[in-house]
């Protein structure tokens, strides 16, 4: 995604580099994006999106976030981002950025990491539990999926607000589950 917007956010990337220059982190290119590491640990990543430029914190969920500027994107468990729309925006928040990066570095040096989610921590929607009761073969196929694939389906099913939508999502996903494929996996 970032590649398509690289030119658009070039000035913001340069401004963020200036803000981060004081830290002993190493800039590397990972996933096609400027990523800052310390002792081999990922600390932050710069990402350009259509509507905004972001500084992503790999273990952002550990940060205290007193300014309430960190945003959780999608189903990310540990990661958090700070969003910006201009060079001026980054310059105005430079002190906050530095404070958050300092905290992220301290967490990395201390070896702190957000504990990975366990599939067992996630609720199984009633519609899925009912389907398991009536179709043991489907239940076995679901349980044979990797934990990450199970989680992605559970998130997808649970995100629907209406029971009918949850049931429809389960029905639609059944062939892929029987194939052992994850929700986000391409054919």
């Amino acid at each position: 995604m970032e590649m398509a917007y690289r030119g658009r956010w070039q000035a913001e990337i340069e401004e963020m580099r200036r803000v981060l220059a004081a830290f002993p982190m190493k800039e590397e290119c990972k996933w096609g994006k400027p990523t800052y590491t310390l002792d081999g640990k990922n600390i932050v990543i710069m990402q350009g999106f259509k509507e905004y430029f972001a500084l992503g914190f790999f273990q952002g969920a550990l940060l205290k976030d007193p300014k309430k500027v960190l945003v959780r994107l999608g189903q990310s468990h540990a990661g958090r981002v700070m969003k910006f729309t201009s060079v001026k925006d980054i310059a105005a928040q430079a002190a906050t950025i530095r404070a958050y990066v300092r905290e992220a570095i301290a967490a990395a040096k201390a070896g702190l990491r957000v504990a990975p989610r366990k599939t067992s921590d996630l609720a199984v929607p009633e519609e899925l539990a009912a389907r398991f009761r009536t179709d043991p073969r489907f239940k076995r196929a679901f349980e044979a999926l990797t934990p990450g694939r199970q989680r992605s389906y559970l998130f997808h099913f649970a995100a629907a607000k209406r029971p009918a939508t949850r049931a429809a999502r389960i029905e639609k996903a059944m062939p892929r589950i029987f194939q052992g494929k994850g929700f986000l996996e391409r054919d």
Side-chain angles (χ1 to χ4, degrees), residues 105-139:
I105 288 171
K109 282 182 174 176
L112 302 179
R113 292 188 60 77
V114 174
R117 266 193 209 138
K118 292 186 180 75
T119 304
S120 59
D121 293 344
L122 301 175
V124 174
E126 178 49 41
E127 296 77 8
L128 184 59
R131 177 55 85 147
F132 286 164
R133 287 191 294 274
T134 61
D135 190 345
R137 198 173 128 257
F138 175 59
K139 183 178 187 205

Side-chain angles (χ1 to χ4, degrees), residues 35-99:
T35 305
Y36 285 76
T37 63
L38 186 72
D39 301 326
K41 293 178 184 157
N42 295 328
I43 307 294
V44 290
I45 186 168
M46 294 185 215
Q47 299 168 288
F49 295 94
K50 192 174 187 176
E51 305 293 327
Y52 60 89
F53 174 78
L55 181 65
F57 292 80
F58 286 93
Q59 295 292 316
L62 295 174
L63 305 181
K64 292 180 181 70
D65 194 17
K67 303 270 189 201
K68 303 290 180 233
V69 293
L70 294 179
V71 179
R72 181 179 179 170
L73 294 183
Q75 296 178 5
S76 172
H77 182 54
R80 298 291 184 273
V81 301
M82 286 177 81
K83 294 181 177 182
F84 306 95
T85 54
S86 68
V87 168
K88 208 168 91 177
D89 196 9
I90 293 168
Q93 294 191 57
T96 300
I97 295 165
R98 286 190 195 102

Side-chain angles (χ1 to χ4, degrees), residues 124-125 127-128 131-132 135-146 148-157 166-185 187:
V124 174
E127 296 77 8
L128 184 59
R131 177 55 85 147
F132 286 164
D135 190 345
R137 198 173 128 257
F138 175 59
K139 183 178 187 205
R140 282 192 302 276
F142 187 85
E143 289 171 346
L145 294 172
T146 63
R149 287 179 177 140
Q150 288 179 22
R151 280 192 300 275
S152 68
Y153 279 116
L154 290 173
F155 277 119
H156 176 61
F157 300 153
R166 285 192 294 273
R169 286 182 177 187
I170 292 164
E171 200 67 38
K172 186 176 178 188
M174 285 180 73
R176 295 185 59 74
I177 291 170
F178 278 118
Q179 293 170 356
K181 300 233 182 203
F183 170 65
L184 299 173
E185 220 170 309
D187 288 325

